[in-house]
Amino acid sequence: MLQITDLHAETAGKTILQGLSLQINAGEVHAIMGPNGAGKSTLAYTLGGRPGYEVTAGSATFDGADLLALEPHERAAAGLFLGFQYPVEIPGVSNLQFLRTALNAQKRARGEAELSGGEFIKLARAQANALGLDPEMLKRPVNVGFSGGEKKRAEMVQMGILAPKLAILDETDSGLDIDALRVVGQGINTIMRAPDKAVLLITHYQRLLDYVRPDFVHVLAGGRIVRSGGPELALELEREGYAEVAA
Amino acid sequence: MSLPLPSPRDEAWRWSDLSGLPALAEARPRGGVIDTSGLWLGCGGPRLLFVDGVLDEALSEPGPLGAGAVEVDSDHPLGRLARGAGWTLDLGKGHSPDATIEIVHVATGGASHVPARITLASEAQASIVETFVGDGWANRLTQVDLGDGARLMHAARLRQASGFTSLRIEGQVGTGASLVSTILAAGGAGTRIDAAVKLAAPGAFAEVGGALLARGGQRHDAAVTLRHEAPEGMSRQTWRAVADDHATASLAARVEVARHAQQTDGEQSLRGLLLRRTATVNLKPELEIFADDVKCAHGATVGELDRNALFYLASRGLPPLEAQALLTRAFVADALGRIGEAAVREAFEADADAWLGANP
Amino acid sequence: MTTTVDTGVKNREALDAANKKYEWGFSTELETEFAPKGLSEATVRFISAKKEEPEWMLEWRLKAYRRWLEMESPDWAKLDIAPIDYQDAFYYAAPKAKPTLASLDELDPEIRRTYEKLGIPIEEQKVLAGVEGAGLPARKIAVDAVFDSVSVATTFRAELERAGVIFRSISEAVREFPDLVRKWLGKVVPAHDNYFAALNAAVFSDGTFVYVPEGVRCPMELSTYFRINAANTGQFERTLIVADKGAYVSYLEGCTAPQRDENQLHAAVVELVALDDAEIKYSTVQNWYPGDEQGLGGIYNFVTKRALCQGARSKVSWTQVETGSAVTWKYPSCVLNGEDSVGEFYSVAVTNNRQQADTGTKMIHNGRGSRSTIVSKGISAGRSDNTYRGLVRVGPNAENVRNFTQCDSLLLGDQCGAHTVPYIEVRNPTATIEHEATTSKISDDQLFYAQQRGLDRESAVALIVNGFAKEVLQQLPMEFAVEAQKLLGISLEGSVG
């Protein structure tokens, strides 16, 4: 599904990714772990197409198409969802309005039929209920006045509504208490654990992995993947620390 | 000679009353023996005494200050009248006088026009406090030029018993330099305060604010423009206006952000307090912005003292006038609290207290 | 004197290309009757005679004209405009047709087609175009269609009359209800109020008159749709709305003009009167032709709008969405004389390219317990300038007045300007006046976030701008809100590179 080959990327004049390669197939859950400054967020932003993140070498294809040639919204329409570490506030724009506009824009781009207002509200309510987010929250402006936990829950609701093929979740676990962590973990499992979907979890800690069991764990250090393994690698990292494992 | 003065028809002067100035300009000072006791804060630093605009050398200790003809150039309608003899402060790189500089202006009627020029080279620092007493019309123009990293703390207390005090401050603030000016009008004279400060280089900081306390038929009027011409500047305007009796206190504060002055952070807080229904407060918090990545905000409020608070104080035994004075002092404190040096701040607070205490 | 209107545009292709942005920029070929070019007492007399006005009306106009001659064009607004040659314009242009139509079927088919193209329902069975698609219930809206200098149709007249509501072009009203018109005309905005108000009083050619009698809730939204069609012609309409005790009316105003490369003048006067317990809701979506990207052409929109909240507990709410005009000079205001009267001003002003807008409000509090709310959202893009200018004044006898003002500016790009010039003048200590202002831009974070969820850049900008303006847009009647949201997006197209 996602094939990253020898990816080099820089931001603000600094080279962060230095030859990162990674293959994610449909049905797989991957976790990328690494110390602060390893390039975890840069990887997420580069794949999402954030302006200011420049690819200097290498390639990334998504379902065989050149991902890097697409605009950010085209990547979204292609089925890529980026869960933000710090979800952005958009005053005055309700979650419902935001997501309906986004979903229908994606559907239009894919040549699918758009959802009517009624259909959309049904879908949104169902997803909110499934993730334990009060559906009333959907009427409030995007992320405005949301607590850290609510923001992350709302990100999962967005993911559920937009139904992407590949979710790249950047530190989705940061700032969550145990209850919220469980909800987010269940959300990822319910929405994304499917033979035609895949997940790339980007995380500093192993604790989210107690709820979402990855098929593969990779260690990112110095802008490239230095080790790969199964779920046991995460436990090893937790025990030994990054310095030991990445060495 | 007729005095070319702006009229209320000019937008920037719509709340001013300059009608008394021609008569003051015609009048002659009375002169006589000047009692300067109680006018000095006792900072122990350099000091100048101007009597009716003329330097009293015997009672002055200039230190690094210069006296005599000052070259200034202003097109401000009042500021441009201040020409000829005045004072200067010219500090070289990294220099700083040991103590606060004090300048006292005594007027005995008539009009006096005094220019001043303050030039601080990079990293130089100075603190200046000016005190105005007496009567007549004291008109001052002060031009300030701050080099990179220089710091000037300026404070003026306007305590003239009657007449008119007009201050015009024109400043230019260099890279990382800081200009803070705090003005308190707490006398019996009419007042017009004008300031135009340019944050001319990156990272400059400017703050102009203070408190205008007006009673009787007084008119206090401040018009301040802080202009951001370079990126990453920060400016603050904190003003409090109190009006009693038939008085009018007016604040026009303006922030300008030129194109390319990105990451500007400008804030204005203008608050008016009316102590009596015949008084007037006018506010004009103005923004003029030509750059898109800026943080500029202002807040303005007008009202009376919080009745709940007055009742609370009364229930604790404070008579109405004392309760009013206490709350008014708290209202003004925000603006005077910006003065860094304790001795100067305390003197200003004492002036405000005296004004409040004298309130019948 | 009769001429056929030229389209006024030489380069068809350029027009077609530009029309994609201003889709209302077409002009209609019509037999049009003009007053002699230029402005003189003769012009004023010509207009008055055309309208078959009573003597007092002519006298009132002539007095205004003489005052206007002595006045000077205001220069204090933050506007940069070329001097206007008042002799180089027509002050009266009317489609040649029967002066009064027995029924709408007699309307000139060209005019009918123009309104159809603009989506304005001048046939009673239709509602505003664009609404069906929004899934809203169909509602009746009565329309007064003003084409250049004259009203060509008012709809739903019979149904309104059953409710006692008078809805007429002002020319008809002067003839049919002279006492009512005379009682209030010029009482809110005197003929000599300001330069453009005086000009309007002298040469106003048509507009709308509404009277809602005591205790009547107007059974439908009323609206006027202004269309400037003829070249070199100014439009000077005058609207007078009187809501008697306990009455309610909601009134909508829309405007467009063809795309022409000379500036055209629009100097309207709107007077609102609300008596005890009456409420008037006045909404405007102003979409006059704004000129092209280089600032060529466009409407000069110099408008005086004022409401007199004369009665106790009366309420007037101004809502405006200003996206058009090369230059806008407009301050819908409320004189709050009534005890506990309420004034509201909700405004979104968008400027792009070389547009200049200087707009805001005055809230004059004379009545005890009067309250006002001001919410102004300015959006600047391109090389435009957008100024909020406002006045909140509390008179010495107005006890317990409250005002809250919120002025927010959004800048798109670093070549535009946003300015806030609020005046606060308070002469009563029991007043509570609060004013807040902020300036912001659309952050890269917001744009990327929206794009990552699937919106292209322009849609993302439009969505965020609509969010910024939401407090104002939600004040609009549904039919207009949908239009206004679309307009905001269109007006800002190409503004974020």
Side-chain angles (χ1 to χ4, degrees):
Chain A
M1 182 181 283
L2 179 68
Q3 176 76 53
I4 306 172
T5 311
D6 192 30
L7 191 66
H8 289 68
E10 60 176 46
T11 185
K14 260 174 68 182
T15 302
I16 308 289
L17 298 184
Q18 316 200 46
L20 185 143
S21 297
L22 178 66
Q23 182 176 341
I24 298 178
N25 300 310
E28 294 175 355
V29 172
H30 290 243
I32 285 196
M33 305 182 71
N36 291 328
K40 298 197 298 292
S41 287
T42 298
L43 175 61
Y45 284 144
T46 305
L47 294 175
R50 187 183 177 115
Y53 290 78
E54 199 79 35
V55 174
T56 50
S59 68
T61 61
F62 186 53
D63 281 345
D66 182 1
L67 183 69
L68 304 177
L70 301 179
E71 294 290 310
H73 65 282
E74 295 168 339
R75 299 181 196 200
L80 187 147
F81 178 90
L82 190 58
F84 283 60
Q85 184 177 1
Y86 304 107
V88 180
E89 299 183 2
I90 308 181
V93 178
S94 75
N95 281 285
L96 288 173
Q97 186 190 2
F98 177 60
L99 289 168
R100 185 179 168 206
T101 316
L103 180 61
N104 280 339
Q106 291 196 22
K107 285 185 174 290
R108 230 178 3 258
R110 293 195 290 261
E112 299 167 11
E114 298 183 26
L115 290 191
S116 72
E119 290 167 331
F120 175 77
I121 287 182
K122 237 168 98 182
L123 169 67
R125 285 187 158 272
Q127 290 296 335
N129 283 325
L131 286 153
L133 186 82
D134 181 357
E136 285 299 300
M137 298 269 286
L138 294 172
K139 295 179 183 166
R140 296 190 10 202
V142 179
N143 292 318
V144 177
F146 284 26
S147 71
E150 286 169 340
K151 281 183 183 170
K152 295 296 168 67
R153 246 179 241 227
E155 288 285 281
M156 292 301 104
V157 174
Q158 291 192 11
M159 185 170 78
I161 290 169
L162 297 174
K165 283 188 205 157
L166 171 66
I168 300 170
L169 304 176
D170 185 11
E171 307 269 359
T172 291
D173 51 337
S174 67
L176 295 188
D177 60 25
I178 286 292
D179 288 340
L181 200 60
R182 185 166 40 232
V183 171
V184 166
Q186 279 169 358
I188 297 171
N189 290 330
T190 322
I191 299 162
M192 298 304 296
R193 264 293 183 194
D196 57 342
K197 292 177 183 287
V199 178
L200 177 57
L201 294 172
I202 294 177
T203 182
H204 186 78
Y205 302 105
Q206 106 93 28
R207 53 185 208 144
L208 179 63
L209 306 184
D210 292 342
Y211 301 94
V212 185
R213 193 175 157 79
D215 305 307
F216 302 94
V217 173
H218 312 275
V219 180
L220 181 65
R224 71 183 82 185
I225 287 172
V226 294
R227 261 188 78 180
S228 296
E232 70 288 347
L233 182 54
L235 297 170
E236 188 187 335
L237 280 169
E238 187 85 345
R239 249 188 348 262
E240 318 264 339
Y242 286 110
E244 197 65 28
V245 176
Chain B
M1 177 192 93
S2 88
L3 208 51
L5 293 174
S7 86
R9 275 200 301 278
D10 295 305
E11 200 53 29
W13 301 81
R14 67 185 258 152
W15 293 320
S16 299
D17 180 10
L18 306 180
S19 59
L21 295 187
L24 290 168
E26 294 293 312
R28 295 269 146 255
R30 294 182 309 279
V33 181
I34 306 300
D35 177 13
T36 59
S37 62
L39 294 180
W40 305 105
L41 297 179
C43 298
R47 63 196 216 180
L48 299 178
L49 173 66
F50 284 91
V51 178
D52 295 317
V54 179
L55 183 71
D56 184 328
E57 290 185 34
L59 290 172
S60 297
E61 291 166 21
L65 296 160
V70 182
E71 279 204 22
V72 284
D73 177 26
S74 171
D75 54 8
H76 185 262
L78 297 181
R80 69 179 173 212
L81 301 174
R83 275 172 307 198
W87 58 275
T88 57
L89 175 64
D90 200 341
L91 293 180
K93 187 177 175 188
H95 280 261
S96 165
D98 295 336
T100 295
I101 295 164
E102 287 191 67
I103 299 173
V104 170
H105 306 264
V106 180
T108 68
S112 66
H113 305 278
V114 176
R117 176 148 200 93
I118 301 169
T119 312
L120 304 191
S122 62
E123 307 299 332
Q125 283 194 27
S127 170
I128 299 174
V129 54
E130 295 189 80
T131 302
F132 292 82
V133 292
D135 48 41
W137 175 20
N139 182 44
R140 303 293 182 263
L141 167 67
T142 305
Q143 294 192 325
V144 179
D145 192 348
L146 302 184
D148 297 352
R151 290 166 61 85
L152 175 67
M153 280 138 288
H154 172 257
R157 45 185 193 148
L158 315 185
R159 280 181 32 186
Q160 275 190 212
S162 67
F164 199 87
T165 313
S166 49
L167 302 185
R168 166 72 176 172
I169 298 167
E170 295 175 1
Q172 173 128 337
V173 186
T175 305
S178 157
L179 168 62
V180 178
S181 183
T182 308
I183 296 149
L184 169 68
T191 296
R192 168 79 185 195
I193 297 157
D194 272 286
V197 177
K198 280 183 197 163
L199 292 85
F205 177 85
E207 170 162 354
V208 178
L212 307 181
L213 313 178
R215 73 157 62 91
Q218 261 179 306
R219 273 194 189 220
H220 290 326
D221 186 5
V224 175
T225 299
L226 302 184
R227 180 174 173 79
H228 291 261
E229 291 187 339
E232 293 166 5
M234 187 192 252
S235 69
R236 294 288 179 265
Q237 295 177 77
T238 305
W239 284 98
R240 299 291 176 260
V242 179
D244 201 350
D245 303 330
H246 289 88
T248 301
S250 306
L251 299 169
R254 177 178 164 105
V255 177
E256 296 178 358
V257 181
R259 255 190 238 312
H260 315 305
Q262 299 290 12
Q263 279 103 48
T264 285
D265 176 350
E267 246 181 58
Q268 297 169 304
S269 163
L270 308 185
R271 295 181 62 193
L273 177 63
L274 288 159
L275 296 179
R276 212 170 296 260
R277 58 178 304 145
T278 44
T280 303
V281 164
N282 300 313
L283 304 179
K284 185 187 178 194
E286 188 177 349
L287 301 174
E288 183 178 303
I289 295 171
F290 287 101
D292 60 340
D293 188 9
V294 302
K295 202 175 98 191
C296 281
H298 62 220
T301 63
V302 187
E304 60 183 343
L305 289 173
D306 181 352
R307 287 173 191 182
N308 289 330
L310 281 171
F311 174 70
Y312 181 73
L313 293 185
S315 76
R316 295 292 177 270
L318 268 84
L321 286 177
E322 270 176 64
Q324 179 178 311
L326 194 71
L327 292 177
T328 307
R329 184 182 163 174
F331 176 81
V332 170
D334 282 357
L336 300 185
R338 318 296 291 191
I339 300 174
E341 291 149 284
V344 179
R345 189 175 58 245
E346 281 160 18
F348 276 61
E349 285 168 354
D351 287 348
D353 284 348
W355 188 90
L356 293 167
N359 219 23
Chain C
M1 175 172 143
T2 300
T3 61
T4 301
V5 180
D6 182 67
T7 58
V9 177
K10 291 136 213 152
N11 190 335
R12 263 291 153 198
E13 282 169 37
L15 175 63
D16 290 344
N19 259 338
K20 285 184 188 129
K21 290 210 173 127
Y22 187 73
E23 58 180 284
W24 309 267
F26 64 89
S27 61
T28 308
E29 301 224 2
L30 278 178
E31 288 266 309
T32 302
E33 182 176 25
F34 289 95
K37 203 174 195 179
L39 182 52
S40 65
E41 260 193 45
T43 317
V44 177
R45 287 177 191 279
F46 175 92
I47 293 169
S48 187
K50 270 281 151 204
K51 304 264 155 200
E52 300 164 33
E53 286 177 351
E55 188 63 22
W56 62 266
M57 195 68 235
L58 174 63
E59 282 306 315
W60 192 75
R61 287 178 180 276
L62 287 172
K63 218 170 119 188
Y65 174 70
R66 288 171 200 138
R67 288 294 290 267
W68 178 77
L69 286 177
E70 295 163 8
M71 296 168 94
E72 279 176 34
S73 186
D75 63 352
W76 44 267
K78 196 171 189 66
L79 303 173
D80 176 22
I81 44 176
I84 300 167
D85 182 353
Y86 290 93
Q87 298 310 327
D88 190 31
F90 293 105
Y91 289 83
Y92 181 85
K96 279 197 116 182
K98 288 186 188 173
T100 42
L101 305 172
S103 84
L104 283 170
D105 301 334
E106 293 179 23
L107 187 60
D108 186 315
E110 278 301 321
I111 295 180
R112 178 187 295 275
R113 265 195 289 282
T114 301
Y115 282 95
E116 275 165 10
K117 231 164 137 179
L118 295 168
I120 306 307
I122 50 173
E123 285 169 64
E124 300 192 350
Q125 66 271 29
K126 289 193 181 155
V127 293
L128 270 185
V131 174
E132 287 101 319
L136 300 169
R139 281 205 281 159
K140 287 177 185 169
I141 299 175
V143 176
D144 178 6
V146 176
F147 199 87
D148 288 329
S149 302
V150 294
S151 167
V152 292
T154 54
T155 62
F156 288 106
R157 211 186 262 210
E159 188 171 341
L160 287 167
E161 247 147 57
R162 276 197 296 278
V165 175
I166 300 172
F167 179 52
R168 286 284 192 285
S169 78
I170 201 153
S171 319
E172 290 172 292
V174 167
R175 292 191 297 266
E176 293 178 40
F177 309 97
D179 296 343
L180 205 48
V181 174
R182 201 173 178 181
K183 182 172 175 189
W184 292 109
L185 187 74
K187 293 300 185 296
V188 187
V189 180
H192 56 271
D193 187 81
N194 66 67
Y195 188 76
F196 297 109
L199 177 63
N200 174 285
V203 302
F204 82 88
S205 46
D206 222 325
T208 311
F209 175 74
V210 177
Y211 174 76
V212 187
E214 187 168 341
V216 171
R217 198 180 164 85
C218 187
M220 65 186 81
E221 308 264 357
L222 303 183
S223 71
T224 300
Y225 197 86
F226 295 103
R227 174 73 177 172
I228 298 179
N229 186 62
N232 273 317
T233 302
Q235 190 175 53
F236 306 91
E237 86 275 3
R238 195 158 184 115
T239 300
L240 172 58
I241 301 176
V242 180
D244 212 323
K245 291 177 183 170
Y248 169 86
V249 60
S250 169
Y251 182 88
L252 320 174
E253 175 198 270
C255 347
T256 59
Q259 195 150 358
R260 301 187 187 281
D261 51 14
E262 83 268 16
N263 295 107
Q264 284 179 282
L265 183 59
H266 173 252
V269 170
V270 175
E271 299 180 281
L272 310 185
V273 180
L275 302 181
D276 288 358
D277 298 297
E279 179 176 350
I280 302 174
K281 197 170 161 56
Y282 193 105
S283 312
T284 304
V285 174
Q286 187 265 106
N287 184 28
W288 294 118
Y289 175 54
D292 69 7
E293 280 169 33
Q294 272 66 50
L296 185 66
I299 301 291
Y300 285 170
N301 190 35
F302 300 142
V303 174
T304 306
K305 291 183 166 177
R306 196 174 303 153
L308 190 58
C309 291
Q310 189 61 27
R313 297 165 304 279
S314 57
K315 178 178 177 183
V316 167
S317 184
W318 296 102
T319 303
Q320 61 173 25
V321 176
E322 303 282 310
T323 62
S325 296
V327 176
T328 296
W329 181 95
K330 179 180 171 189
Y331 316 92
S333 301
C334 295
V335 179
L336 298 156
N337 286 345
E339 203 168 303
D340 297 321
S341 57
V342 177
E344 295 177 339
F345 175 75
Y346 297 94
S347 170
V348 178
V350 180
T351 53
N352 198 357
N353 298 321
R354 304 277 179 157
Q355 280 177 275
Q356 305 170 61
D358 195 301
T359 183
T361 185
K362 294 181 195 174
M363 293 289 173
I364 310 296
H365 291 265
N366 297 320
R368 299 163 71 94
S370 54
R371 304 192 305 278
S372 61
T373 303
I374 299 171
V375 178
S376 164
K377 305 276 181 175
I379 299 150
S380 331
R383 295 174 168 273
S384 69
D385 270 299
N386 201 324
T387 301
Y388 168 82
R389 189 183 301 277
L391 169 66
V392 175
R393 179 180 283 156
V394 180
N397 299 318
E399 304 285 322
N400 298 315
V401 163
R402 295 186 74 90
N403 161 266
F404 176 74
T405 302
Q406 174 77 45
C407 285
D408 296 322
S409 305
L410 188 68
L411 290 110
L412 308 182
D414 58 3
Q415 296 298 307
C416 51
H419 318 294
T420 313
V421 191
Y423 290 82
I424 302 166
E425 302 182 346
V426 184
R427 302 193 58 196
N428 187 302
T430 60
T432 307
I433 308 297
E434 289 175 77
H435 173 108
E436 288 170 15
T438 64
T439 300
S440 56
K441 64 167 193 167
I442 295 179
S443 73
D444 295 342
D445 281 348
Q446 285 175 325
L447 266 185
F448 177 61
Y449 190 66
Q451 282 180 284
Q452 209 299 309
R453 296 299 182 254
L455 298 174
D456 63 35
R457 216 173 155 78
E458 305 242 294
S459 309
V461 169
L463 186 83
I464 294 166
V465 165
N466 272 300
F468 172 77
K470 188 181 180 186
E471 279 168 276
V472 175
L473 296 178
Q474 67 192 11
Q475 297 293 328
L476 288 172
M478 276 293 231
E479 293 83 352
F480 257 31
V482 175
E483 273 307 297
Q485 280 191 15
K486 274 198 300 196
L487 260 183
L488 289 189
I490 292 166
S491 304
L492 291 169
E493 255 167 35
S495 61
V496 176

